[in-house]
Amino acid sequence: MSTEQAIRQAKTAIDEYNEQILSFLSGDGKSAVKAAVFVSTYSEIQRVSDECDRSDAMYYYYEEILKNYINGRIIPTIRTNYGSSGDYIVEYDKQWKQFTSYCFVLNKLFNYIDRYYLSQNKDSTNNSLFATARELFRKEIFEREIKKL
């Protein structure tokens, strides 16, 4: 299997896992993600990272997933509360809590990247997964949306 095929396969597995996470966290899912699904998806990330030496591709895909979540779910929701500062702050707080829950679950899946790629690649300018998530929230929501209030 080529490197590009392995990356596509890992992204497909991650997308399926991500959909299950989102369904569960929104209350639409019947149950949490099955352990076997988690292990197989984690293994795909590990394979791309180790065998293909493309941990960077998995890290950047993690960022892409978070940006999609922010732009597709959080921003449209908080924008519905423009005009009422009290409602906006309540919704902002709610979205931050949901985002941190989402990141907590997603970070478990990408833990291999945090533990091996980011910790051993000292020359990298990439942050830990949690710091990346926090920074994206700050840039994409706090800095951009606060100007519109």
Side-chain angles (χ1 to χ4, degrees):
M1 177 181 300
S2 74
T3 298
E4 291 309 312
Q5 288 173 323
I7 291 171
R8 276 195 306 276
Q9 187 172 332
K11 286 181 176 181
T12 299
I14 292 165
D15 289 343
E16 291 170 5
Y17 181 84
N18 189 41
E19 285 303 315
Q20 291 179 27
I21 292 170
L22 293 172
S23 177
F24 176 73
L25 292 176
S26 68
D28 297 339
K30 302 270 190 259
S31 64
V33 179
K34 304 280 188 237
V37 174
F38 173 84
V39 169
S40 67
T41 306
Y42 187 92
S43 296
E44 291 292 332
I45 292 170
Q46 185 178 14
R47 184 166 53 88
V48 168
S49 297
D50 286 348
E51 294 175 20
C52 303
D53 196 27
R54 289 299 312 274
S55 295
D56 61 325
M58 295 294 92
Y59 176 83
Y60 293 119
Y61 196 60
Y62 170 81
E63 279 188 327
E64 183 181 325
I65 290 168
L66 292 181
K67 286 178 183 177
N68 289 340
Y69 182 84
I70 289 169
N71 292 310
R73 292 178 179 255
I74 296 175
I75 290 176
T77 303
I78 64 172
R79 283 185 178 166
T80 62
N81 291 294
Y82 281 172
S84 170
S85 61
D87 292 342
Y88 181 84
I89 295 299
V90 168
E91 187 61 39
Y92 183 89
D93 182 58
K94 177 182 172 187
Q95 292 302 318
W96 168 250
K97 289 175 183 174
Q98 288 178 352
F99 181 72
T100 56
S101 295
Y102 174 67
C103 289
F104 179 78
V105 175
L106 197 59
N107 287 359
K108 294 289 185 188
L109 182 65
F110 283 87
N111 185 277
Y112 189 81
I113 302 298
D114 230 3
R115 287 190 355 228
Y116 296 102
Y117 170 64
L118 295 174
S119 67
Q120 294 178 5
N121 191 358
K122 299 300 181 196
D123 297 333
S124 175
T125 59
N126 298 331
N127 295 321
S128 70
L129 297 179
F130 179 76
T132 299
R134 186 185 63 235
E135 186 65 16
L136 283 172
F137 192 91
R138 185 184 64 76
K139 281 183 189 173
E140 299 290 324
I141 298 174
F142 183 75
E143 288 180 1
R144 188 170 74 186
E145 296 298 313
I146 201 77
K147 294 174 186 173
K148 297 177 181 175
L149 289 178

